[in-house]
Amino acid sequence: MEERAKLKTSKMLKRPASKLTKPIASSSKSSKTSPLDLKRKVQSQIKVNPVLKDSNSKYSIDNQENSLRPYTGAPHHRRVKSDPVPNSPYIPLKKPTKNTQAVKKTTNASSKPSRGHRRTNSDNENLKKIASNHFFISNTEEHDKDQIIESIRSSFLMGIPFVTTIDYYKIGKPLGKGAFGKVYLGVHKLSGLRVAVKTIEKSFMQDERTRKKVFQEVYIMNKIHDKNVIRLLELFESPRHLMIVLEYAGGGDLLQLLRARGKLSESEARPIFKQIVDAVIACHNEEIIHRDIKLDNILLNEEMTLIKLCDFGVSRVAKPGFKINEQCGTPAYLAPEIIVNEGYEPFFVDVWSMGILLYALLSATVPFKAKTIPELHKIILRGKYIFPDYFSECVKDFITEMLNPIPHLRIKLNDLKKHAWFSVDTLDSSFHSTKDSYTPNRHNNILNALREYGFLAEFVESSLKNRDINHATASYNLLDINM
C-alpha cells in the first residue's frame, strides 16, 4: 500500500501545473462541467464582454480581489458613442432621460428649453450669446428700465442728486473711430431710442490742451439747438472713458451717398444745400464758426429727409471783426485767408467751404486738387478752377460768389438763400418734405413721459432753462428729436 501511494504521488508531481489548479467540485450542476467546457464558457464570456479582455480593466478577471469595489483611479478614456457598452453587473446602465435630451437641445441657438427643463448656467450663457447677436433682450431691457426708474425716484425722494452711469445705456456695434476714441451705436434704456455714444479714453486727456479741446467741443454743441445740427444729449464718465452721448443719424453722410450713387442733380442738391445753409446760420447766430464743413461732416437721418451738421472738433466761439490766427480744417476745403496765415476774420471761411461742398455735390469731386499739400495751397491761392459742362449758369454764378478769394467780397451767409438758384421750384428730392418740428402739446407730452421715468417736472423745467447736461435733459431732447 505504501508503495502504491508513493507511485501515485510521483505521477502527480510529473503532471503539468495547470492540471493542479482543477476547480473543486460542488454539489450544484456545475460540478458536472468538465474543464474543457469551463474553458469554452470563459472564452465565450470574453467574446461577449470585451472589457474582460483587458487585464488592466477595473473589472478584469485577473483583478478578482478588487472586482466588487469601484475603481477610483484616473480614467484614461472618456466613452464616446462608438465605444461598446459594458454589461457588467457592477456598472448600472441608465437610459437617457427627457431632461438630459432637453439640455442637449438648448445648445442649439434656434431651439427653446423643453417643458419640464430647469435652466442651467450653461443655458443662460447660450441665451446671452444669442441675445448679443440680436442686440436686444426684451426681458432684460424691461428689468433694467425698471431699475433705472426706481433709482431716479429714490434720488428725488432722498434729495440725492442722481449721476448717470453706463448702465443707463446699452452699447452696441462700433460706428466709427476718431483720433481719441470710438463711436458706438447705443440705446437709451428708458425710451428704447437709439443714440451715438462717443468714447474718449482718459489716458488721451492727460495734457491740458487735449482736455480743453474736448470740453470746448462739448460746450459748443450744447449751445446750438437746431434740427439741422447734431444734438449733444449727455456727458458722463466711466472708470476709463469720457462718454459723450449724441443724437443718432442712421442715414450715413453725404460722402457715402455720393460714393454709392454718384453726383446729384441740381434739383436733388438744392433742398440738401438749403438745410446746410440753415445749419451754418444756426451756428453763426451763436457766434460759432465750424471751420470743417465738408461732405463727410454732413449726416443724414434714416428717412433721408434731414441733414445734420456734425463734428465740432475744430470749431470755436468767435466775435465779428475779431481776427483768428489758427490754421485748421480739411486741406481741399481751406479758404485762401487761412493758408496765407496772416490772421483772418472768422465767419467768411465757412462760406468758402460751403462753395466747395456744393461743387462736390454736383460733380462728385472738388474744384481744387493736387498731389501734395504745398501744390494744393498754390492752386487755391491762384483761385483757378473749371466748371463741368453740365453745370447751369445759375449754379456757376452761385458757386463763384462763394469762392471769391477776397473774403469781404464773398456772398454773405444770410444772402445765400436769396440767390436765384434757390428760386427754382423743381424739388425732386425727399428733403423738401421736412416739416416743422413743432406739434401741439409737444412739451407737455414729453414732460408726462419723463414723469413716468421718475423725473420731477420742476427739475426738468429748471434743467432745460439752465441748459444743464443730465439724464433728464438727455431724455427730453431725445424724445423731442424723435417725436
Side-chain angles (χ1 to χ4, degrees), residues 138-199:
S138 57
N139 291 338
T140 305
E141 292 291 334
E142 202 63 37
H143 175 70
D144 290 348
K145 178 180 176 179
D146 292 341
Q147 283 192 324
I148 294 169
I149 292 172
E150 185 62 31
S151 174
I152 292 170
R153 285 175 176 164
S154 299
S155 297
F156 283 111
L157 286 173
M158 299 174 67
I160 303 171
F162 63 89
V163 179
T164 305
T165 68
I166 191 63
D167 296 327
Y168 284 32
Y169 293 91
K170 181 176 178 65
I171 306 300
K173 66 179 181 180
L175 298 174
K177 188 176 181 180
F180 302 110
K182 296 179 180 179
V183 180
Y184 294 89
L185 178 63
V187 172
H188 179 262
K189 289 186 177 180
L190 288 177
S191 65
L193 296 170
R194 287 181 292 181
V195 295
V197 182
K198 185 176 183 179
T199 63

Side-chain angles (χ1 to χ4, degrees), residues 337 345 348-349 351-352 397-413 415-416:
E337 58 267 33
E345 289 194 27
F348 298 108
V349 297
V351 175
W352 174 279
D397 178 74
F398 190 32
I399 292 174
T400 301
E401 288 195 42
M402 287 186 280
L403 297 184
N404 194 315
I406 302 173
H408 292 284
L409 298 180
R410 232 169 264 160
I411 186 173
K412 304 295 186 292
L413 179 64
D415 293 334
L416 289 176

Side-chain angles (χ1 to χ4, degrees), residues 22-179:
K22 184 178 179 179
I24 301 173
S26 65
S27 60
S28 65
K29 293 181 181 179
S30 62
S31 62
K32 298 180 181 180
T33 305
S34 66
L36 184 59
D37 292 334
L38 182 61
K39 183 178 180 181
R40 287 173 181 168
K41 189 174 182 180
V42 171
Q43 286 176 345
S44 64
Q45 184 70 13
I46 291 173
K47 288 180 182 179
V48 173
N49 235 339
V51 175
L52 300 180
K53 290 181 180 179
D54 184 6
S55 61
N56 294 323
S57 171
K58 55 184 175 181
Y59 297 110
S60 170
I61 56 174
D62 292 333
N63 293 330
Q64 292 178 11
E65 62 180 6
N66 296 323
S67 61
L68 295 178
R69 62 186 181 206
Y71 176 71
T72 58
H76 297 286
H77 171 63
R78 181 172 291 176
R79 188 183 304 126
V80 296
K81 289 183 178 179
S82 60
D83 291 343
V85 180
N87 58 1
S88 168
Y90 307 113
I91 304 178
L93 300 177
K94 292 183 180 180
K95 294 182 179 180
T97 62
K98 291 182 179 179
N99 283 353
T100 57
Q101 290 175 352
V103 172
K104 290 180 181 178
K105 287 181 180 179
T106 55
T107 60
N108 187 352
S110 61
S111 63
K112 298 178 181 179
S114 61
R115 188 176 289 182
H117 167 62
R118 182 173 292 177
R119 185 177 296 159
T120 62
N121 290 333
S122 61
D123 295 335
N124 289 331
E125 291 299 319
N126 289 330
L127 290 173
K128 286 179 182 178
K129 290 177 183 177
I130 298 165
S132 65
N133 292 333
H134 290 82
F135 193 72
F136 293 104
I137 310 174
S138 57
N139 291 338
T140 305
E141 292 291 334
E142 202 63 37
H143 175 70
D144 290 348
K145 178 180 176 179
D146 292 341
Q147 283 192 324
I148 294 169
I149 292 172
E150 185 62 31
S151 174
I152 292 170
R153 285 175 176 164
S154 299
S155 297
F156 283 111
L157 286 173
M158 299 174 67
I160 303 171
F162 63 89
V163 179
T164 305
T165 68
I166 191 63
D167 296 327
Y168 284 32
Y169 293 91
K170 181 176 178 65
I171 306 300
K173 66 179 181 180
L175 298 174
K177 188 176 181 180

